[in-house]
Amino acid sequence: MEASRLAATNEPDAEKAFFVADLSQVYKQHERWQRCLPGIEPFYAIKCNPDPYVLRLLASLGTGFDCASNGEISQVLKLGVDPSRIIFANPCKATSFVKNAAKAGVDMMTFDNVDELYKIARVHSGAKLVVRILTDDSKSLCRLGLKFGAPLVTVPGLLAKARELRLDVIGVSFHVGSGNFDSNAFADAVIRARTAFDMGKEAGYDFQLLDVGGGFEDANFEPTAAILAHALDIHFPDRQRLRIIAEPGRFYVSKAFSLAANIIARRARNADGSSDAEMDADQPSVMYYINDGVYGAFNCILFDHQKVHPRVLSLHGSFHVPASEPLGACSVWGPTCDSIDCVCPVTHLPSGLQVGDWLGFDNMGAYTICAASQFNGFEVSNVIYTTGGGCGAAEVRSSLAAFAKAGYGL
Ligand code: PLP
C-alpha cells in the first residue's frame, strides 16, 4: 500500500508545463547590443531572469552584472566573475548586505539617500558610489521612480554629505522605468545626468562613470539606442575618461524563453447542462484551465503588467494545426484554486481544443520564472535548453516530441 502510494507520487508530472530556452537568442541580443551601443558596457540585471545557463553564457561573453541582493551577488561570484564586474544596484540595502559586499570585493554600488551614505561609511568605506537620480519614467510599465532615485535638487546635499563622510562617489546612474516604450526618456535622462555630473564637479568630485540603467525594449531597441547615443554625443562629448555602463534585463532574455502549457481541464457553457443564467454573462462561453498560471510563470501578468497571447501547439492531440480552424472566444485560467489566477480573460482559440492539447506562449523570459511561486503545491515549470533555430512553434513541438520520447508522455 505504502509502496504503491509512493510510486504514484513519484510519477513524473506527465503533462507538466515547461519552458523552452533558446540561448542563441540571448547571444543574438548581445550582438545587437554591441552593434547599436558599442561604447556602453552591459551589466545584465539578473533579477530579470537568473537562469544559470543564461548567466554562464553572459559571463563568458564578458558582460557585467547588476545585482540587487546578497543572493544575486553570490550567484554571480560562483560563476567565477570578478567582483569588479558587479554593480550592487539597489539604492536601499541592508547593512549586512553592504558588509558582505565589502567582504566579497564588490565595491561599485548605488545610493539615493543620506542614510545609505552613513551605512556605507560605517561598513564599506572603500565603496565606489554611484548616485541614482530620478528621471521621468511616467511612460513606463513599471515606474521604478516611485521607489528609487534622488531628485536633482537633493543631489548637491547628498554629495556634500558623501564628501563629509570621505566617501568616493564615482558617477551617476538612472533608470527610465522598466518596459519603457518612450525612447525619448533616455535623452531626457542623459540631460539630467549631465546636470548631476556638473553638481559632482561643484562638490569636488571627478565623476568617471555613467550608468544608463535598464528599460531597453526589444521592439524599439534600435531607435532607442540611436536616441541615447545621440544624447550622449551632445551632453558627454568628451568620453576619454568616461566609462558608460547599462543594466539591461528584459532586452536580453524576454524573447529567448517560450512556455508550453497543457490544457488540463475545460468548462464549456451548457456542455454540462448548466444554464446561461448560471454563468457569468461577461465571460466567454469556453474556459480552458492550463497547468501554469499567475502564481507561477504568469506572475508577469500581475507584477510586470504583461498581456500574454496563447498560440495553439496541438489540436486533438495532433501537432498539425490547420490554419483554417474556426476560432471561438474563450478564457484561459491557471491551475490553482484562486479566481485571480486568470491568464487571458478573453482570447480566441480553435473551437476544437480539448483537454490534453498544448498552448504555447512566447516572450516569457523576463520577470517570469524568477518570481514564480509554488502556491497550492504546483511546481515551477522546468526549462529545456536549445542553442539555436529560434523559439517558434517548430522548436516547441520538437521539444514536446523529445519530452514524449523521454517518457514524459503526451
Ligand atoms: N536596473 C535596476 C536597478 C532595476 O531595478 C531593473 C528592473 O527592475 C533593471 C535594471 C532592469 O530593467 P529592464 O529589465 O527593464 O531592463
Side-chain angles (χ1 to χ4, degrees):
M1 164 75 180
E2 204 49 43
S4 66
R5 198 192 293 161
L6 249 187
T9 49
N10 280 344
E11 251 177 35
D13 195 352
E15 63 287 277
K16 189 173 175 176
F18 61 94
F19 287 94
V20 178
D22 179 357
L23 296 176
S24 76
Q25 279 291 347
V26 178
Y27 180 71
K28 278 182 201 149
Q29 292 298 80
H30 184 61
E31 282 189 320
R32 211 169 146 203
W33 182 279
Q34 289 185 310
R35 201 167 47 246
C36 297
L37 293 169
I40 303 183
E41 299 170 48
F43 277 53
Y44 172 65
I46 101 164
K47 60 185 73 80
C48 179
N49 184 340
D51 179 273
Y53 292 95
V54 168
L55 297 189
R56 255 189 245 178
L57 172 62
L58 292 175
S60 70
L61 291 171
T63 71
F65 294 90
D66 152 9
C67 298
S69 64
N70 252 352
E72 289 186 352
I73 288 175
S74 43
Q75 196 180 351
V76 170
L77 290 177
K78 271 189 204 141
L79 297 173
V81 170
D82 193 88
S84 65
R85 282 167 63 191
I86 293 176
I87 180 164
F88 197 169
N90 183 342
C92 299
K93 303 167 277 298
T95 306
S96 63
F97 282 25
V98 181
K99 230 187 231 176
N100 209 55
K103 230 194 266 166
V106 173
D107 295 335
M108 203 158 42
M109 55 186 66
T110 59
F111 74 99
D112 65 2
N113 65 85
V114 168
D115 282 335
E116 198 71 6
L117 290 174
Y118 283 123
K119 195 189 298 172
I120 294 169
R122 221 170 50 241
V123 299
H124 193 357
S125 56
K128 306 278 177 214
L129 298 183
V130 180
V131 58
R132 165 112 166 237
I133 59 166
L134 184 64
T135 58
D136 178 10
D137 61 1
S138 57
K139 300 209 179 89
S140 65
L141 287 177
C142 306
R143 299 190 61 188
L144 301 172
L146 296 174
K147 189 171 177 186
F148 299 117
L152 276 180
V153 287
T154 67
V155 171
L158 286 175
L159 296 179
K161 181 54 75 179
R163 271 211 92 72
E164 188 190 311
L165 295 170
R166 297 174 186 277
L167 288 168
D168 187 12
V169 185
I170 61 164
V172 175
S173 78
F174 60 75
H175 196 303
V176 297
S178 196
N180 197 330
F181 290 89
D182 175 21
S183 306
N184 290 316
F186 279 95
D188 178 65
V190 167
I191 295 171
R192 294 182 199 220
R194 175 71 259 169
T195 306
F197 262 68
D198 296 340
M199 289 169 169
K201 199 157 186 201
E202 285 280 300
Y205 285 109
D206 179 20
F207 289 170
Q208 289 174 19
L209 183 99
L210 173 61
D211 175 354
V212 299
F216 297 88
E217 276 296 328
D218 181 74
N220 63 356
F221 180 66
E222 276 74 12
T224 300
I227 287 172
L228 173 59
H230 182 63
L232 290 171
D233 284 345
I234 292 177
H235 301 288
F236 291 89
D238 181 9
R239 304 247 263 280
Q240 293 232 309
R241 290 172 58 247
L242 180 66
R243 182 182 187 197
I244 309 181
I245 68 170
E247 301 164 2
R250 71 174 81 237
F251 170 76
Y252 268 88
V253 288
S254 181
K255 281 202 298 205
F257 287 62
S258 293
L259 181 80
N262 193 259
I263 297 176
I264 52 167
R266 184 180 66 164
R267 290 207 310 159
R269 181 174 284 177
N270 298 335
D272 52 4
S274 59
S275 71
D276 273 1
E278 291 174 280
M279 305 280 290
D280 182 344
D282 294 336
Q283 279 218 356
S285 56
V286 185
M287 301 166 76
Y288 294 109
Y289 297 74
I290 59 174
N291 52 359
D292 204 339
V294 303
Y295 284 97
F298 294 107
N299 70 80
C300 58
I301 295 169
L302 298 183
F303 295 146
D304 197 32
H305 314 282
Q306 294 297 311
K307 288 203 167 35
V308 297
H309 304 285
R311 58 191 165 81
V312 177
L313 296 175
S314 77
L315 191 62
H316 303 304
S318 163
F319 292 123
H320 300 288
V321 182
S324 58
E325 195 70 19
L327 302 180
C330 59
S331 53
V332 180
W333 301 77
T336 66
C337 288
D338 192 345
S339 61
I340 200 178
D341 195 0
C342 182
V343 174
C344 301
V346 184
T347 188
H348 291 82
L349 291 171
S351 320
L353 271 175
Q354 294 174 346
V355 170
D357 278 325
W358 289 85
L359 297 179
F361 297 83
D362 292 327
N363 303 315
M364 287 292 290
Y367 305 105
T368 51
I369 312 172
C370 53
S373 78
Q374 299 199 35
F375 175 60
N376 257 188
F378 293 98
E379 289 175 8
V380 176
S381 299
N382 293 325
V383 185
I384 295 175
Y385 298 90
T386 74
T387 52
C391 208
E395 195 78 6
V396 177
R397 278 178 201 144
S398 70
S399 301
L400 276 170
F403 236 46
K405 242 195 216 155
Y408 288 90
L410 268 180

